[in-house]
């Protein structure tokens, strides 16, 4: 039995104590599987314009196409099967959310650690910048960046990272300041270990738990942010719609009774975000020693 | 005469206390409020020769840990000099600086807190020697096993995490980790205070064995006079950031010169020597923020004279190898 075993086991037990969180985890697993397997699950490739039939546009859920396939969730304005579009859209939304979160985490963690270690002027300058950035809404920062950069998957990931790294920097600095006072850090210094090794090999693993919690919740935020930006027409190209763009495409038809074009992507988006949040909240409780019974 | 292994010359350490809000407002209004400073060490000189065990005793808060941290180079003193084998360490560069750093290692008070909870013993002990090229990566396993054996642990401990070990095992891992970089001096700051009495005795025996086998020198800091008496060749007594007496251990315990040392020894019960913590000298320990003028000990000293309130007695040789800072010793002259 190792330390990680016991920690993980305790975590797992704490986590499983909440039915809701387990349901969230199951839901999240199903959604992630659907997103990953989209090319095999989807009846149609929604990005392949040759497969789209304009004559079949805006068909209601359950309608049949000319060649006899059923559009279970209807079609959009370009005759895209909504079920396929949602599966592919999930793929993009989750992919962008996770990629942006991981990158922001890596950058924010490095900045936070270095600030905590350096102290003095470096630390106050870095933390001023972080506080300044956190005083602006993340969406504003992303909006401005995308307006300048234009659409593209890489660009939206960049915008999301720029909007979110500061959260991680603040979290990691706080945790690292607390860890830095512990004697094992002094021991590493007396052993003349290189600074980078102490920071990333000794301190980082000990500040990871709070970071994981922030990151989980931030994945949901990143997905919501990306959807908002795509809805506003900034972010992803129209030919590769994410969930936000799908919702935007159907928006014009909502009031004419063709609800499904916006509604089903909206449900998929909301379910994903709720599932991530359920898992993230429970993880935070399980990792918080003050709440653990 | 060869230079001592470690020498501290007139080392002082001040810690600035940030001003509280009231003081800051007062200052903004033009009041002359200086930043309060704790004078944790005030002109301390101390040397440890090759293979020598120097004990350091004193009440809580008198600056022992601060001195330990300066001795291993964790703090740079605010004044004074640290010399390693006669050379100021501040002037050492490159390889010489690294070797001097590695040669003085620290054994911490809390064995658990001083071990990274996310590392296995193999890595805790084996990391630094590999990083510094003392052993090849491939030889790490054998090297760690050898060190564990030296400190009385089974090689299988290498796979464990600190929380899976007993208090005594953790203490031994901390010692093995220090030994891994082949030090010449171990600075032990209350190294056995956190251990059970029976385990304390075993770890003290280990220190004694390491000294015998490896010729290690020690700066051994403890509240516990019994522990110090068992190990030390020479003992230095600290009071509020100053060394007030220093003498060969036997002589000091047989015939203490300084009134403070006498009070300490009088408090040491004859039988249960080991367990005694001495916070019990008559009177309060003054605040290190505002130490009394002159001899810091005068408010508690039964022999205090008028000049003790005004002048600081310097540490002076009162007998061959014996030093004391007290006006009762005629040889002590004011600064
Ligand atoms: N990093 C620091 N910042 C501010 N003050 C400090 C710092 N470290 C120590 N001090 C102060 O310096 C004085 C000496 O502290 P030190 O820890 O060296 O005493 P000690 O003799 O080791 O005490 P103990 O026996 O309780 O361990 C104390 O008044 C303490 O409050
Ligand atoms: S100098 Fe004076 S006050 Fe200080 S210990 Fe000696 S006699 Fe006592
Ligand atoms: Mg101490």
């Amino acid at each position: 039995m190792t330390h990680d075993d016991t920690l993980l086991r305790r975590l797992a037990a704490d986590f499983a104590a909440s039915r809701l969180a387990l349901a969230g985890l199951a839901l999240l697993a199903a959604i992630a599987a659907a997103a990953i397997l989209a090319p095999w699950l989807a009846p149609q490739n929604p990005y392949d314009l040759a497969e789209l039939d304009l004559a079949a546009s805006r068909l209601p859920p359950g309608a049949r196409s000319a060649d006899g396939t059923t559009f279970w969730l209807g079609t959009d304005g370009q005759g895209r099967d909504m079920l396929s579009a949602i599966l592919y859209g999930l793929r993009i939304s989750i992919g962008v959310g996770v990629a942006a979160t991981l990158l922001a985490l890596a950058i924010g963690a490095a900045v936070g650690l270095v600030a905590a270690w350096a102290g003095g002027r470096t630390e106050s300058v870095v933390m001023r910048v972080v506080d300044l950035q956190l005083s602006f809404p993340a969406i504003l920062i992303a909006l401005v960046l995308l307006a300048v950069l234009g659409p593209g998957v890489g660009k939206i990931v960049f915008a999301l990272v720029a909007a979110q790294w500061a959260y991680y920097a603040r979290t990691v600095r706080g945790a690292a300041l607390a860890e830095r006072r512990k004697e094992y850090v002094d021991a590493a210094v007396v052993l003349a270990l290189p600074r980078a090794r102490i920071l990333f090999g000794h301190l980082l693993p000990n500040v990871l738990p709070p970071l994981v919690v922030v990151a989980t919740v931030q994945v949901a935020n990143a997905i919501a942010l990306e959807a908002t930006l795509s809805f506003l027409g900034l972010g992803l190209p129209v030919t590769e719609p994410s969930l936000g763009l799908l919702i935007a495409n159907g928006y014009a038809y909502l009031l004419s009774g063709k609800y499904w074009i916006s509604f089903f992507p909206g449900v998929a988006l909301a379910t994903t975000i709720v599932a991530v949040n359920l898992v993230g909240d429970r993880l935070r409780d399980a990792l918080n020693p003050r709440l653990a019974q | 005469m060869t230079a001592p292994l470690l020498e501290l010359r007139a080392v002082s350490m001040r810690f600035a206390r940030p001003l509280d809000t009231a003081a800051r407002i007062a200052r903004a209004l033009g009041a002359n409020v200086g930043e309060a400073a704790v004078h944790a060490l005030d002109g301390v000189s101390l040397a440890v020769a090759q293979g020598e065990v120097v004990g350091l005793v004193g009440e809580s808060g008198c600056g022992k840990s601060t001195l330990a941290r300066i001795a291993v180079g964790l703090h740079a003193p605010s004044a004074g000099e640290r010399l390693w084998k006669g050379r100021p360490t501040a002037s050492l560069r490159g390889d010489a600086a690294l070797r001097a750093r590695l040669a003085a290692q620290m054994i911490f008070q809390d064995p658990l807190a001083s071990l990274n909870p996310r590392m296995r013993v193999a890595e805790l002990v084996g990391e630094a020697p590999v990083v510094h090229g003392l052993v090849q990566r491939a030889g790490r396993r054998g090297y760690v096993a050898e060190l564990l054996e030296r400190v009385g642990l089974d090689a299988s401990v290498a796979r464990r995490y600190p929380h899976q070990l007993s208090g005594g095992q953790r203490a031994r891992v901390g010692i093995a980790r220090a030994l891994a970089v082949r030090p010449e001096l171990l600075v032990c700051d209350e190294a056995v205070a956190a251990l059970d009495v029976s385990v304390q005795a075993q770890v003290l025996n280990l220190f004694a064995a390491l000294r015998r086998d490896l010729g290690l020198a020690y700066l051994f800091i403890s509240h516990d006079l019994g522990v110090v008496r068992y190990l030390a060749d020479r003992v230095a007594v600290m009071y509020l950031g100053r060394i007030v007496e220093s003498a060969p251990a036997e002589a000091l315990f047989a015939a203490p010169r300084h009134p403070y040392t006498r009070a300490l020894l009088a408090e040491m019960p004859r039988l249960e020597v080991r367990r005694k913590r001495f916070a019990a000298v008559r009177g309060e320990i003054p605040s290190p923020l505002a130490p009394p003028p002159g001899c810091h000990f005068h408010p508690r000293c039964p022999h205090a004279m008028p000049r003790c309130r005004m002048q600081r007695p310097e540490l002076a040789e009162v007998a061959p190898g014996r030093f004391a800072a007290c006006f009762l010793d005629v040889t002590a002259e004011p600064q």
Side-chain angles (χ1 to χ4, degrees):
Chain A
M1 203 167 65
T2 69
H3 178 62
D4 290 326
D5 278 348
T6 49
L7 184 76
L8 279 180
R9 203 165 297 172
R10 208 206 77 224
L11 254 184
D14 273 6
F15 189 92
S18 160
R19 291 261 174 82
L20 202 58
L22 278 183
L25 189 64
L27 197 58
L28 191 60
I31 293 171
I36 291 166
L37 299 175
W40 295 277
L41 289 180
Q44 184 192 69
N45 179 354
Y47 301 156
D48 183 357
L49 295 177
E51 278 190 42
L52 303 185
D53 180 5
L54 265 183
S57 67
R58 293 194 280 281
L59 293 179
R64 282 174 175 269
S65 72
D67 55 16
T69 50
T70 309
F71 299 120
W72 293 108
L73 300 181
T75 62
D76 74 356
Q78 273 117 25
R80 229 181 238 122
D81 171 37
M82 285 311 297
L83 177 61
S84 308
I86 288 171
L87 288 174
Y88 274 78
L90 269 177
R91 208 174 148 82
I92 295 189
S93 292
I94 294 179
V96 165
V98 169
T101 300
L102 289 180
L103 270 174
L105 185 142
I107 294 169
V111 170
L113 273 179
V114 169
W117 187 268
R121 183 159 300 178
T122 317
E123 183 178 24
S124 42
V125 168
V126 169
M127 293 326 286
R128 252 334 120 69
V129 172
V130 166
D131 288 340
L132 189 71
Q133 162 144 16
L134 288 177
S135 66
F136 288 105
I139 182 138
L140 193 65
I141 294 164
L143 263 176
V144 170
L145 277 174
L146 282 178
V148 175
L149 294 172
V153 174
K155 285 166 187 161
I156 194 160
V157 169
F158 175 82
L160 291 176
V161 169
Q164 297 195 308
W165 68 274
Y167 288 101
Y168 301 102
R170 190 158 71 176
T171 308
V172 169
R173 172 177 164 269
L177 280 183
E179 284 301 311
R180 184 156 177 11
R181 279 191 280 272
K182 299 199 176 155
E183 281 186 344
Y184 74 82
V185 180
D186 289 333
V189 173
V190 177
L191 288 167
L193 294 175
R195 194 162 301 182
R197 198 180 240 304
I198 298 178
L199 277 182
F200 296 101
H202 290 237
L203 272 177
L204 185 59
N206 285 290
V207 301
L208 265 182
L211 204 56
V212 169
V213 174
V214 178
T216 321
V217 178
Q218 287 295 97
V219 169
N221 285 347
I223 291 175
L225 200 54
E226 181 272 323
T228 313
L229 294 166
S230 295
F231 180 83
L232 295 174
L234 293 156
L236 294 172
V238 227
T239 46
E240 294 182 15
S242 70
L243 294 177
L245 197 52
L246 288 175
I247 297 172
N249 288 344
Y251 193 60
Y253 309 106
L254 254 187
L255 293 179
S256 56
K258 295 178 172 136
Y259 65 91
W260 59 87
I261 309 179
S262 283
F263 180 70
F264 291 121
V267 169
L269 180 66
T271 314
T272 309
I273 291 176
V274 167
V276 175
N277 272 319
L278 283 177
V279 172
D281 282 352
R282 186 65 200 165
L283 211 51
R284 166 168 39 210
D285 293 350
L287 276 169
N288 188 337
R290 271 169 300 162
L291 291 180
Q293 309 93 343
Chain B
M1 213 175 85
T2 58
L5 210 51
L6 173 75
E7 189 180 351
L8 302 177
R9 277 196 196 149
V11 160
S12 293
M13 189 74 192
R14 286 171 173 278
F15 293 109
R17 281 273 166 94
L19 293 174
D20 57 16
T21 318
R24 242 180 287 144
I25 292 171
R27 182 139 87 176
L29 295 176
N32 185 17
V33 184
E35 205 168 34
V38 184
H39 218 153
L41 294 177
D42 183 6
V44 169
S45 297
L46 186 78
V48 184
Q50 205 133 32
E52 186 187 26
V53 179
V54 175
L56 185 68
V57 298
E59 281 164 306
S60 185
C62 72
K64 303 184 298 295
S65 294
T66 307
L67 189 64
R69 295 171 70 85
I70 289 175
V72 293
L74 267 176
H75 282 325
S78 15
E81 233 182 351
R82 175 181 187 267
L83 293 90
W84 185 257
K85 296 187 178 168
R87 296 173 65 193
T89 41
S91 70
L92 295 178
R93 293 285 173 272
D95 199 41
L98 178 65
R99 266 186 287 123
R101 274 181 81 181
L102 292 180
Q105 286 299 311
M106 180 121 161
I107 308 293
F108 294 87
Q109 169 165 7
D110 181 345
L112 186 58
S114 70
L115 301 175
N116 191 328
R118 303 206 166 254
M119 290 186 171
R120 290 172 199 271
V121 170
E123 201 180 346
L124 286 167
V125 175
E127 180 182 21
V130 171
V131 166
H132 296 303
L134 300 174
V135 277
Q136 296 298 304
R137 206 176 166 88
R140 190 180 91 166
R141 213 184 144 125
Y143 189 67
V144 169
E146 210 174 283
L147 285 162
L148 291 179
E149 196 193 321
R150 181 168 284 289
V151 299
L153 289 172
D154 192 81
S156 67
V157 165
R159 290 194 306 273
R160 305 258 184 93
Y161 285 92
H163 76 105
Q164 298 172 309
L165 305 174
S166 70
Q169 287 175 318
R170 287 173 196 150
R172 288 170 197 269
V173 169
I175 296 168
R177 173 176 64 184
L179 293 181
V181 293
R182 305 190 183 134
E184 294 170 72
L185 169 71
L186 289 186
V187 175
C188 307
D189 186 6
E190 304 282 1
V192 294
L195 302 173
D196 291 341
V197 188
S198 60
V199 184
Q200 269 191 15
Q202 294 168 11
V203 173
L204 288 175
N205 285 334
L206 174 61
F207 282 133
L210 291 174
R211 176 192 193 188
R212 198 177 54 233
D213 299 347
L214 303 175
L216 287 179
Y218 290 85
L219 177 57
F220 203 91
I221 296 171
S222 182
H223 279 98
D224 190 330
L225 290 174
V227 165
V228 169
R229 185 176 204 167
Y230 172 72
L231 278 178
D233 303 318
R234 206 152 54 77
V235 177
V237 181
M238 258 181 106
Y239 188 74
L240 277 187
R242 295 177 184 167
I243 290 184
V244 295
E245 178 162 8
S246 142
E250 239 167 88
L252 184 120
F253 283 102
R257 299 286 287 243
H258 195 281
Y260 178 61
T261 316
R262 272 185 236 148
L264 283 184
L265 293 185
E267 285 299 327
M268 191 169 101
R270 302 273 160 252
L271 289 173
E272 213 194 332
V273 168
R274 279 284 156 73
R275 295 306 291 163
K276 186 61 192 167
R277 299 271 159 85
F278 53 83
V281 176
R282 189 176 61 88
E284 289 279 309
I285 308 176
S287 157
L289 269 172
C295 172
H296 285 346
F297 190 56
H298 80 249
R300 298 163 85 187
C301 179
H303 311 288
M305 308 167 268
R307 72 186 293 204
C308 303
R309 289 179 188 71
M310 339 240 283
Q311 292 171 328
R312 168 183 178 172
E314 287 297 301
L315 196 63
E317 190 155 19
V318 292
R322 297 203 61 164
F323 298 81
C326 173
F327 292 126
L328 287 181
D329 269 302
V330 282
T331 37
E333 280 306 314
Q335 197 168 23

